[in-house]
């Protein structure tokens, strides 16, 4: 843990009236340099990893920030009298802006996912099941050097209209729309990329709907400027989709922050007034889901700079028609 980060953490602890942080292996743990399988305890005077965090928490502590991923038995095992509060209030604002090495790690995760999506174009999809193709893509993603696959979605036909669909036994047939998304972790950092394909030929009206998703993505990039509120980006996406007539089929959210976690702040949704700042890494993900027919979602990670968002991947979105 570098001194500037530790100083910033302690300043945030003072502001939040938190006397100590107790973290288990998690994104917050890794952010503060945690390496082992135990706990990391940060006070206003010390920072140390330990198997038994209780004795390192000051006896006079009144409020202790605990990792939101801590298990119930771990919380009870602290045996301290202080009020327990989520450590997120202290650490989440500090994790919003990434340092150069963090952005580089996120970009490596993006490149890995995009390389697998490129290989996906050459695979035989006709007659395979969603589950079988998801297994193949999972293996390919791990072969890139990603240390963990956090999520992988393959949805065909009417299943592309289900935002939470998990790959199943549906057979992929010519004429299907196909939605593939990959989220892997590289050197601790996460990134998701999602692309849309057509099998042999696009379904009727699919290309028109997909063009709206791409127009919404372009609107997100235009509106994502330093000092702009995250909700203003959501508004720009929503305006495009509403204007197309697909408004009632729009996704509930259009993006979120990524980094050590695959779903961090800010969130590109109405009501999140977090100002965008250089150093933030965002997964922009406009989507339209037409029940029982098809859906389309593209997801790309960008890094905010003083001039605006910079794509961390190729940003290739031409609708690719799979020929086998």
């Amino acid at each position: 843990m570098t001194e500037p980060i530790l100083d910033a953490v302690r300043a945030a602890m003072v502001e939040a009236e938190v006397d100590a942080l107790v973290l288990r292996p998690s994104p917050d743990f890794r952010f503060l340099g945690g390496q082992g399988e135990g706990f990391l305890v940060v006070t206003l005077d010390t920072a140390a990893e330990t198997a038994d965090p209780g004795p390192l928490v000051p006896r006079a502590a009144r409020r202790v920030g605990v990792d939101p991923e801590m298990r119930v038995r771990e919380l009870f095992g602290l045996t301290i009298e202080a009020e327990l509060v989520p450590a997120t209030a202290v650490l989440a604002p500090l994790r919003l802006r990434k340092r150069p090495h963090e952005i580089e790690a996120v970009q490596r995760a993006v490149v890995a996912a995009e390389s697998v999506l490129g290989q996906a174009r050459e695979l035989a999809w006709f007659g395979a099941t969603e589950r079988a193709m998801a297994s193949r893509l999972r293996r390919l993603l791990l072969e890139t050097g990603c240390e963990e696959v956090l999520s992988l979605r393959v949805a065909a036909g009417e299943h592309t209209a289900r935002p939470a669909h998990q790959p199943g036994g549906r057979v992929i047939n010519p004429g299907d729309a196909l939605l593939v998304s990959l989220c892997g972790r590289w050197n601790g950092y996460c990134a998701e990329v999602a692309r849309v394909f057509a099998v042999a030929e696009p379904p009727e009206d699919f290309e028109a709907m997909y063009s709206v998703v791409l127009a919404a993505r372009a609107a997100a990039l235009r509106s994502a400027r330093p000092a702009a509120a995250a909700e203003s980006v959501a508004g720009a996406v929503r305006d495009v989709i509403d204007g197309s007539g697909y408004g009632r089929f729009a996704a509930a959210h259009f993006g979120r922050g990524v980094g050590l976690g695959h779903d961090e702040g800010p969130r590109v949704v109405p009501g999140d007034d977090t100002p965008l700042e250089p150093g933030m890494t965002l997964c922009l993900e406009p989507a339209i889901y037409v029940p029982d027919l098809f859906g389309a979602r593209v997801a790309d990670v960008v890094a905010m700079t003083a001039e605006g968002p910079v794509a961390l991947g190729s940003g290739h979105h031409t609708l690719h028609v799979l020929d086998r």
Side-chain angles (χ1 to χ4, degrees):
M1 189 186 327
T2 64
E3 284 302 321
I5 292 178
L6 193 53
D7 290 344
V9 169
R10 286 175 173 148
M13 290 169 61
V14 170
E15 184 175 352
E17 298 182 337
V18 169
D19 302 299
L21 300 176
V22 180
L23 309 173
R24 71 180 308 279
S26 68
D28 284 338
F29 178 89
R30 292 190 292 272
F31 175 68
L32 293 184
Q35 299 292 328
E37 296 299 322
F39 297 85
L40 177 64
V41 178
V42 179
T43 71
L44 298 179
D45 302 309
T46 63
E49 290 191 52
T50 177
D52 183 9
L56 296 185
V57 176
R59 289 183 177 274
R62 292 171 298 172
R63 283 163 54 90
V64 173
V66 295
D67 200 304
E69 295 190 14
M70 285 183 72
R71 304 179 181 93
V72 172
R73 62 179 177 80
E74 293 171 338
L75 292 172
F76 279 112
L78 292 177
T79 62
I80 57 177
E81 300 295 329
E83 175 189 3
L84 302 183
V85 298
T88 305
V90 172
L91 298 175
L94 301 177
R95 287 173 51 191
L96 288 176
R97 297 182 63 168
K98 307 312 190 274
R99 293 157 287 171
H101 77 274
E102 294 179 287
I103 295 175
E104 181 181 352
V106 172
Q107 185 170 29
R108 292 294 297 272
V110 171
V111 170
E114 285 198 342
S115 72
V116 172
L117 288 169
Q119 294 176 70
R121 299 180 181 187
E122 308 304 321
L123 299 179
W125 292 82
F126 296 9
T129 65
E130 295 171 337
R131 186 180 296 112
M133 297 309 295
S135 295
R136 293 192 68 179
L137 296 176
R138 180 180 297 274
R139 289 195 299 272
L140 289 173
L141 188 55
L142 290 172
E143 287 172 4
T144 68
C146 274
E147 57 215 49
E148 182 182 4
V149 178
L150 298 172
S151 68
L152 196 155
R153 179 184 178 195
V154 173
E158 70 284 358
H159 289 173
T160 61
R162 302 176 183 177
H165 178 70
Q166 295 298 313
R170 187 195 188 280
V171 174
I172 299 166
N173 297 305
D176 281 340
L178 187 67
L179 199 160
V180 179
S181 67
L182 307 170
C183 182
R185 190 188 301 279
W186 186 286
N187 197 25
Y189 287 80
C190 314
E192 180 176 4
V193 178
R195 294 289 182 267
V196 175
F197 303 94
V199 184
E201 61 180 355
E204 185 177 0
D205 298 328
F206 182 76
E207 289 177 282
M209 185 269 285
Y210 181 56
S211 70
V212 175
V213 174
L214 295 186
R217 174 186 177 274
L221 291 172
R222 288 193 300 270
S223 60
R225 289 292 180 268
E231 64 182 353
S232 70
V233 180
V237 172
R238 188 81 208 199
D239 287 346
V240 169
I241 298 177
D242 285 349
S244 73
Y246 282 100
R248 67 187 186 279
F249 304 125
H253 70 276
F254 304 115
R256 81 278 187 190
V258 293
L260 285 165
H262 70 282
D263 189 354
E264 303 182 346
R267 297 188 62 79
V268 184
V269 296
D272 190 333
D273 59 359
T274 304
L276 302 183
E277 300 180 57
M280 290 182 174
T281 47
L282 303 172
C283 179
L284 299 177
E285 48 183 347
I288 295 173
Y289 301 111
V290 184
D292 301 321
L293 285 180
F294 43 62
R297 170 178 172 262
V298 294
D300 298 282
V301 179
V302 301
M304 289 299 301
T305 71
E307 290 73 39
V310 173
L312 296 185
S314 68
H316 179 76
H317 298 93
T318 301
L319 181 63
H320 185 83
V321 178
L322 302 165
D323 59 6
R324 52 180 149 173

